[in-house]
Amino acid sequence: MSSKTKIVLRKKANKEGLFPLAIRITKNRSSSYIFIGHYIDRKHWDERRNIVRKSHPNSELLNTLLSSKLAEVNKTLMELQFENNDISANRVKKELTVANKDKSFSSVSDEYLNELESNNKLTRFYADKVRVNHVIKFYKSRQLMFQEIDEGFLIRFQTYLRNNKKLSERSIVNNLIVIRTLYNRAIRMGVVEQKSYPFGKGKIQIRFPETEKVGLTVKEIQRIESLENLTKMEEHTRNVWLFSFYLAGIRVGDVLKIRWSDLYDGRIHYRMNKNSKLVSLKLPHKLKPILEYYEGHKLNPNDFIFPELKISDIKNDRDVYAKTNTATSKFNKHLKEIANKAGLDKKLTMHIARHSFGHIAGDRIPVQMLQKLYRHTSITTTMQYQSNFISKETDRALEEVVNF
C-alpha cells in the first residue's frame, strides 16, 4: 500500500482553544503526525482544501510554510521508499526529526518567539523574549543544548535569577515555565529524548508561590467615587478604573478597545483579548454618568469610548500594544495620586479593579457565576483566584478560639 501525506488540523485544542496544524503520514492504515508548531482557530481552517483561510491574519505565510513542510515530508518519503518500499509512517517521522538533533535552545526558542509574534500574541512574546534572554545570558552563549539543561543547571539558574537579577519567586517560576514549554517542544521535534526531561516528580517541580491579592473595600471605592478635587487627567483615570470595576474587572487592554457600537440592548458585548472569548454583560446603572461624560466626543457609532486608541493604527497590533502599555503606565501614575487624595493606604493600579471586584464578591456570589463573570475556562481557576478574598470562615474560627 502506498503512503499518503496530508496537511490536517488536529482535533485536540490547547488551553487557549486553538488547534495544531500538522502533516499526517499514513501507511497500512497507521498514521503518524508531524506538528508544524502553529495553532489556529478552527474557523480559519478550510477542511475541503486543507489550507488556512484568508480570514486568518497570517494565512499566506502559514500556507507557504505548510506547503514547504509537506514538500519536505514527501521528498523524505520518496527517498526512503527508493531504499525500501515497505517503509512505515513512524520511520518517515523519525527520519525527519533526525535533522533536528543539532538544534540548540536558541534556535528552538527563536522559532517559538517568531510564532508568538506572527500570531500577534505580543504580550506573551515580549515577556517570554526577556525570559529566553535570561537563559542565554546565564549560559553566556547561544550554543546551549537541551541535553545540558538538567536539574543542576536549573538550580543554578534559579539562584542566578534570585541573586543577580533580583527577581521575585513568581517571576522565577515564570522563567522556568518558558524553559519547560521549550523543552516539551524540543521533545516533540525530536531534538532531545524524553528521558532527559528535567521536570516532574523527583526532579525540578514548578510550584507557584502564594501571592497576596489586595482588593479595595466598598467604603474605599465609595471614597474614590465621591472625590471632587481631581485634575482632568485624574478624573479620566478614575472613569477608566471604575468602568473596569463595574464590569467585573475587565482588563485595561479590553477596556480601551470598547467601542460605542459594542453597547446595545442595555448590554456590553466584546471579545476578550487574552483568550478571544465573547463576553456579554448588562450595563450597570453606575456606568451611565461615565458614558455621558464621553458621549460628546463620539465621532461615529464605531468610535472608541475612551480616547487612548483613537489615534492608533488599529490594524497594527504592535502600535495598539505600545499605546495600551503607555496608557496603562499613565493611568497607574495618576491612580497613585487618586489613592493619596482618597486617603488610601493600599496600592492602587488598574489591575486592582479586578482584585477589588473579587474582594467585594467574596463568598456572596456562587463560584459558578463568578466563573462566568471572570470568563475563566476552568472553575478551578476561579476558586483559586477567589480564595484570596474569602476569609469569613477562618475569621469566625479564630474569634471562637480567642474570645474567651
Side-chain angles (χ1 to χ4, degrees), residues 196-260:
S196 300
Y197 194 59
F199 299 97
K201 189 175 181 180
K203 299 180 181 181
I204 299 296
Q205 291 186 297
I206 297 177
R207 293 187 175 92
F208 289 94
E210 289 190 10
T211 56
E212 184 182 12
K213 289 180 169 63
V214 179
L216 302 188
T217 64
V218 170
K219 288 185 178 180
E220 288 170 332
I221 291 175
Q222 287 173 336
R223 278 151 66 180
I224 291 175
E225 290 175 324
S226 61
L227 279 177
E228 295 182 351
N229 58 333
L230 298 179
T231 65
K232 190 172 183 179
M233 196 60 228
E234 287 169 353
E235 188 172 3
H236 169 57
T237 299
R238 176 177 63 179
N239 287 341
V240 175
W241 192 91
L242 289 174
F243 189 97
S244 169
F245 169 74
Y246 293 152
L247 292 166
I250 295 180
R251 293 175 178 87
V252 63
D254 292 325
V255 170
L256 297 182
K257 289 181 179 177
I258 300 295
R259 302 173 185 269
W260 290 101

Side-chain angles (χ1 to χ4, degrees), residues 16 18 119-124 250-258 270-279 309 314 317-318 320-322 324-325 354 374-375:
E16 297 174 344
L18 302 177
N119 286 314
N120 296 321
K121 297 180 179 179
L122 298 180
T123 300
R124 190 170 175 185
I250 295 180
R251 293 175 178 87
V252 63
D254 292 325
V255 170
L256 297 182
K257 289 181 179 177
I258 300 295
Y270 74 99
R271 187 179 293 277
M272 289 177 66
N273 185 52
K274 186 175 182 179
N275 54 22
S276 297
K277 287 188 176 182
L278 285 170
V279 180
L309 296 183
I314 200 64
D317 292 287
R318 281 179 172 270
V320 172
Y321 176 84
T324 300
N325 274 1
R354 191 170 180 82
Y374 291 144
R375 285 305 186 268

